[in-house]
Amino acid sequence: MAYFTRDFIEFFRELEKNNNKQWFDANRKRYEKSVKKPFQQFIEEMIVRLQQLDPELVIEARDAIFRINRDIRFSADKTPYKTQVSAIISSGGKKDKTLPGYYIEIKADEIRLSGGVHMLDTKRLHRVRTYIAAHLDEF
């Protein structure tokens, strides 16, 4: 399960210093080879492994992986690219973060793994809290 090379990390270190369209366009093929494709293969394997624990988990890697382009419309940070790759492995994927899932984020100097749900509305949050309170030993 070795997907990532040193260039995966170096790409993000360099992107942090050169976060602009001109640099990214000049390094686009490198991004595809050293970052995008290996991360997609990694997520594909993670999905297969997680399906062994949760057979109802139905998703493809493309539905789990977030884009590297940032949405700068309402952000104070106007850099155009994220300095990490990330994915959410759940049946809802990146489009529905309210379903339980696993979040993976890899930066040049950090790996973040999380599990759970994100941004629940009031009714769902109440149901989750009530369930946990009623099943404390199991929780």
Side-chain angles (χ1 to χ4, degrees):
M1 192 165 129
Y3 295 103
F4 307 109
T5 64
R6 180 167 296 285
D7 195 45
F8 180 92
I9 294 168
E10 290 302 318
F11 177 87
F12 285 112
R13 285 190 177 140
E14 291 175 29
L15 178 59
E16 287 174 6
K17 296 174 187 167
N18 304 286
N19 199 329
N20 61 70
K21 185 174 181 350
Q22 183 179 2
W23 183 88
F24 194 87
D25 285 346
N27 287 274
R28 187 172 299 276
K29 287 183 182 177
R30 178 180 171 210
Y31 164 73
E32 296 283 338
K33 179 184 175 197
S34 296
V35 176
K36 187 176 180 179
K37 187 174 181 179
F39 188 66
Q40 180 179 345
Q41 292 170 335
F42 171 73
I43 294 301
E44 287 169 354
E45 180 164 340
M46 291 307 300
I47 290 169
V48 168
R49 289 177 179 233
L50 289 168
Q51 285 172 333
Q52 293 172 3
L53 301 171
D54 183 2
E56 293 180 21
L57 178 65
V58 179
I59 190 169
E60 293 188 32
R62 71 174 182 264
D63 299 319
I65 299 172
F66 290 98
R67 297 177 50 201
I68 194 160
N69 301 77
R70 295 182 70 248
D71 182 356
I72 60 172
R73 295 175 296 171
F74 309 107
S75 176
D77 180 356
K78 299 296 183 187
T79 54
Y81 303 102
K82 298 173 189 170
T83 55
Q84 79 272 352
V85 286
S86 58
I88 184 164
I89 301 173
S90 74
S91 291
K94 62 188 175 192
K95 296 197 183 218
D96 185 357
K97 299 172 198 79
T98 63
L99 296 174
Y102 310 91
Y103 177 76
I104 301 167
E105 180 180 289
I106 305 175
K107 295 179 159 192
D109 60 352
E110 182 179 359
I111 297 173
R112 185 177 299 178
L113 303 171
S114 314
V117 292
H118 181 67
M119 304 275 297
L120 292 176
D121 61 42
T122 305
K123 286 183 180 180
R124 285 187 181 181
L125 180 59
H126 179 72
R127 285 195 345 239
V128 168
R129 287 178 174 169
T130 302
Y131 182 88
I132 290 171
H135 300 87
L136 283 176
D137 291 340
E138 185 181 338
F139 182 71

